[in-house]
Amino acid sequence: MMNNYIAHRDQKLYEHLEGVAKLAKINTDKIGMGNYGELLGLLHDFGKYSAEFQKYITDALKKDDPEFNPDEDEEFEDPTGKKGKIDHSTAGAQYLSKISEYSSAHKILCQILSLCLVSHHSGLIDCLTTNDRGIMDSYSKRLSKNDKKAHQNECVKNVDKFILDRINAILEDRSLTKPFEETCRSIILKAPEQNPQSMIAQFQLGLLVRLLYSGLIDADRQDTADSEKPKIAKYRQLGNYKKWGSLIERLENKYKTFETKNRVDEIRQEVSEDCLLAAERSKGLFTLTVPTGGGKTFASLRFALHHAEKHGMERIIYVIPFTTIIDQNAQVVRKILEPEECPEDYGKIVLEHHSNIGAEAQSWKEKILTENWDSPIVYTTMVQFLEALFGAGTRGARRMHQLANAVIVFDEIQTLPVKCVHLFNNAINFLVDHCGSSVVLCTATQPLLGEVDEKKGSLKLSKDNELIPNVDKLFSDLQRVHVHDCRRSPGWKYPEITTLAVEQVKQSGNCLVVVNTKKAAHMIFDDAKKDGLEIFYLSTGMCPTHRKQTLKTIQQRLLDKEPILCISTQLIEAGVDIDFRSVIRMLAGLDSITQAAGRCNRHGSPEFGNVFVVNPLEESLDFLKDIAVGKEKTIRVFDDFKEDPSKYNSDIIGPKLLKWYYQNYFYGRRDLMDYPVKAGRDDTLLNLLSSNSLAVDEYGRVNKIKPDIFLRQSFMTAARLFKSIDAPTRSAIVPYDKEGKELIGQLCAAFEVEKQYALIKKAQQYSVNLFPYEFEELSKKNALNRVQEETEIFYLDYQYYSRKTGLSLEPVNQEEQFEDEYITT
């Protein structure tokens, strides 16, 4: 007989436990640990069999009933304020702990699974916690919780018999620990020190905890949502995707339409063919090192599709550095893989997931797919990828299990934040070595992630990792520009840089100037206006629609061979397909200079383009540390090149000099790569998520004994300290053109604005991201307003947005404002 215990409205407890167990088993079967997933599902809400919880949920359901009169029910207690305060997760962990006595493997496995159980609403808890009161073993304290609060004994008596029988059957299986022991052994053997307590081994065991945790919470959230809104369940794809063969056919048909007009087109075709051949390789870690303009986007997709089909992989995940280019990349692929003639596939193949204004306000159909990346091809950002692995709470962690048995392609990998290097490397090694995934690192400027400190985590790269047979030859074949080292002492004044740019327009027909700061961009832009040229400006201070329209105009002018000058910040280096005859680049990291050179003679005219590297006399990079360090290292390698160009194949942006640049750059920043933090003391996230040696030593000093737990990580503390970018931005909608102004008016007038999905979705294209100091300064000037009083969606006053240069911290000239009436609240 089934008991009538309740899990949620309209869902019996046994139904929920069975449903979650089934889904969690599927989620964790990817790494051969399906039994653990099933066990977690059966035990996660074990504590809901207590009378206290059943009283709470029954009263909550009564209160929600409009016909219920509390005065007529003497047993009713108002549940307000009780939500989340009745412990229903400890009981399952305590019941599981009986296996700790069986063997050391059982004890460690028990801790791993128990961490998932007690954390399934909070985010992974700390094993050791350091706070104002000292250091404590939080895990053991939680597991030893008083039975009056945990209710384990009561729940064992009340649980449905067939649920308890299945739990016991799994726990008593003699082979229970075998999958864990095999993975643990593999992790230890592949770690540099081959010691179970070493930094790398402990870090990867921590990732194993998070992956199992991910499998549980995704199953729990999904089963709960489907019970509350059964109609939405049918829209989940649940891995029932279009066959890889059908998607491959669509891509190959597109390749048949490509024309070969010149040698560059021929090389792009060769790169694609190399990727097609490489797709037959075994799963692993790969690099795709191709000069800018070499066709990486399509070639990497071709590899990923064929590789996924060969190895029966579940999905392809593209990780892109910036939200500014994710739209254009996803749209190109969507047109091919979701063609108009197949309307039944619309929205089911390519999924975009990135944080932007109103990112949480999605259509419910998109939301159910985005929550756990339930799509065959996912485009997301590096921020979202790192959040899935290291972020706080449950939202990002829920997606981590989808990284197993997947092809993961990183576009422009050189943009990886330096402080995340060791965290990233260890995570990639874990996904490749223990989760059956393949990873491709794409860039023209491959950072030396395999040559950093091995004991802290370096990528396991070999010569066989490269998808291109001869990278040096490819770079030589794709040489399309002459790079001129124009540094001089003491440096270039901005008017002199303007003069050089104007001269290049007159000689070459057009010129692109790429700067490091918006201040430099404004100075050169204002100075160049005196020469009567048609000048364009590009920066992240312009909303996406503004940038796209400006780029479209620039591209048309270039096609029409009209003389133009473009001043841009570094955003143009991130995958923008544009072709200038000459480029001037402010001195920066060699990787940035190489990317800027990729915007010159991009399509391979026989006449080489010219790239001029200049060192500005006055440039403040105090708040741009990465650029400042990159600039310093470029000076060194440029000096080396000048002494003996033949040592670097006479190619100032070739692979040999780039390698020497990265050796200098990474050596100079090696102390930042383990993510330094303040956690009561100077520490690192790498340490907090691995051996946690400082906390362990402090615990030993205070208690005169080491903590009696195998895993000692401070998971929650580390997650709260983790930020994949240093300066979190806030978005504001801008009054760009008629459409932007009308959109602001509609949002100001909308009823329940958070639910206005279509408007907020559109607002992403009319928003700019503001750094904290920009937000504060504009707020002081009353230049930012909420679209409605209780929302966190802001719009910018029209006086602070220029039709030429976008966002301004000062009111712009009237001729640069967008005229006619403007909406106000």
Side-chain angles (χ1 to χ4, degrees), residues 171 563 752 800:
L171 292 179
E752 291 188 288
Y800 293 84

Side-chain angles (χ1 to χ4, degrees), residues 537-592:
Y537 178 99
L538 287 168
S539 87
T540 53
M542 301 159 71
C543 69
T545 298
H546 193 174
R547 286 199 304 269
K548 287 175 186 176
Q549 291 183 359
T550 301
L551 273 168
K552 187 176 180 181
T553 303
I554 293 171
Q555 287 167 331
Q556 189 57 53
R557 295 285 197 280
L558 291 171
L559 285 173
D560 294 340
K561 301 192 183 306
E562 295 182 18
I564 66 165
L565 174 61
C566 178
I567 319 296
S568 177
T569 58
Q570 305 97 297
L571 76 88
I572 203 164
E573 296 169 355
V576 177
D577 186 5
I578 202 160
D579 188 3
F580 283 87
R581 290 300 310 156
S582 62
V583 170
I584 299 170
R585 183 57 170 100
M586 300 285 188
L587 188 63
L590 187 58
D591 55 333
S592 294

Side-chain angles (χ1 to χ4, degrees), residues 496-509 511 533:
E496 293 174 330
I497 297 172
T498 305
T499 299
L500 175 62
V502 172
E503 288 174 355
Q504 284 305 304
V505 174
K506 292 176 180 177
Q507 290 178 21
S508 306
C511 181
L533 289 172

Side-chain angles (χ1 to χ4, degrees), residues 347-560:
K348 293 183 178 180
I349 309 297
V350 179
L351 178 70
E352 292 177 59
H353 178 221
H354 50 82
S355 56
N356 212 321
I357 185 169
E360 296 306 315
Q362 300 169 304
S363 74
W364 61 268
K365 288 183 183 179
E366 279 187 316
K367 194 170 188 293
I368 63 173
L369 301 180
T370 302
E371 283 173 338
N372 66 346
W373 289 343
D374 183 13
S375 196
I377 299 177
V378 178
Y379 276 83
T380 191
T381 61
M382 181 64 83
V383 169
Q384 294 292 344
F385 173 81
L386 293 172
E387 284 288 332
L389 292 164
F390 309 115
T394 62
R395 183 176 296 167
R398 179 179 176 181
R399 305 178 180 108
M400 183 186 170
H401 71 94
Q402 302 290 37
L403 297 172
N405 194 31
V407 183
I408 310 170
V409 182
F410 293 89
D411 193 21
E412 307 296 357
I413 186 59
Q414 81 281 355
T415 61
L416 175 72
V418 171
K419 64 182 180 179
C420 295
V421 164
H422 289 307
L423 300 184
F424 177 84
N425 286 350
N426 289 317
I428 294 303
N429 288 336
F430 175 75
L431 291 170
V432 172
D433 291 341
H434 310 295
C435 300
S437 294
S438 285
V439 169
V440 184
L441 309 178
C442 296
T443 181
T445 53
Q446 203 70 242
L448 304 180
L449 298 177
E451 299 184 25
V452 295
D453 189 343
E454 184 184 22
K455 289 185 179 179
K456 291 184 177 182
S458 62
L459 283 187
K460 295 176 182 177
L461 291 163
S462 69
K463 292 180 181 178
D464 297 333
N465 286 105
E466 179 57 53
L467 301 184
I468 302 301
N470 191 330
V471 172
D472 287 341
K473 182 177 184 300
L474 178 62
F475 271 73
S476 176
D477 290 346
L478 269 176
Q479 279 189 338
R480 314 184 293 275
V481 299
H482 295 300
V483 179
H484 307 277
D485 178 3
C486 297
R487 293 174 297 150
R488 65 189 188 194
S489 181
W492 290 69
K493 297 178 181 178
Y494 285 123
E496 293 174 330
I497 297 172
T498 305
T499 299
L500 175 62
V502 172
E503 288 174 355
Q504 284 305 304
V505 174
K506 292 176 180 177
Q507 290 178 21
S508 306
N510 55 67
C511 181
L512 167 67
V513 181
V514 184
V515 300
N516 294 322
T517 66
K518 290 179 184 176
K519 180 181 179 181
H522 277 289
M523 293 183 71
I524 297 172
F525 180 84
D526 292 338
D527 197 34
K529 284 191 287 190
K530 303 169 188 174
D531 289 274
L533 289 172
E534 187 164 20
I535 309 170
F536 294 90
Y537 178 99
L538 287 168
S539 87
T540 53
M542 301 159 71
C543 69
T545 298
H546 193 174
R547 286 199 304 269
K548 287 175 186 176
Q549 291 183 359
T550 301
L551 273 168
K552 187 176 180 181
T553 303
I554 293 171
Q555 287 167 331
Q556 189 57 53
R557 295 285 197 280
L558 291 171
L559 285 173
D560 294 340

Side-chain angles (χ1 to χ4, degrees), residues 711-817:
L711 295 175
R712 298 162 175 181
Q713 291 89 334
S714 294
F715 290 115
M716 185 169 283
T717 298
R720 288 173 176 167
L721 290 169
F722 174 78
K723 293 178 182 176
S724 52
I725 52 175
D726 286 316
T729 57
R730 299 179 73 177
S731 294
I733 308 166
V734 299
Y736 174 69
D737 220 346
K738 180 181 177 182
E739 290 79 5
K741 290 185 290 182
E742 288 180 349
L743 177 63
I744 292 170
Q746 290 167 340
L747 282 167
C748 289
F751 176 70
E752 291 188 288
V753 68
E754 290 86 352
K755 296 181 180 179
Q756 301 303 313
Y757 159 73
L759 290 178
I760 295 175
K761 181 86 169 179
K762 187 177 181 182
Q764 294 182 11
Q765 298 302 311
Y766 290 88
S767 65
V768 295
N769 289 327
L770 306 174
F771 288 103
Y773 80 91
E774 293 174 318
F775 191 92
E776 183 178 352
E777 188 168 338
L778 289 168
S779 295
K780 287 179 181 177
K781 295 176 180 178
N782 296 317
L784 289 172
N785 302 281
R786 286 179 168 86
V787 296
Q788 289 182 16
E789 281 189 18
E790 296 181 357
T791 71
E792 288 300 310
I793 302 175
F794 295 85
Y795 69 90
L796 183 71
D797 187 283
Y798 74 99
Q799 296 179 78
Y800 293 84
Y801 196 82
S802 163
R803 63 172 63 249
K804 295 284 188 182
T805 59
L807 174 74
S808 173
L809 298 182
E810 301 293 337
V812 299
N813 296 331
Q814 191 168 359
E815 62 269 19
E816 289 190 24
Q817 296 174 9

Side-chain angles (χ1 to χ4, degrees), residues 628-638 661 664-665 668:
V629 174
K631 179 178 177 179
E632 175 194 339
K633 303 309 177 186
T634 298
I635 291 171
R636 176 174 180 178
V637 299
F638 268 16
Y661 163 77
N664 282 272
Y665 182 78

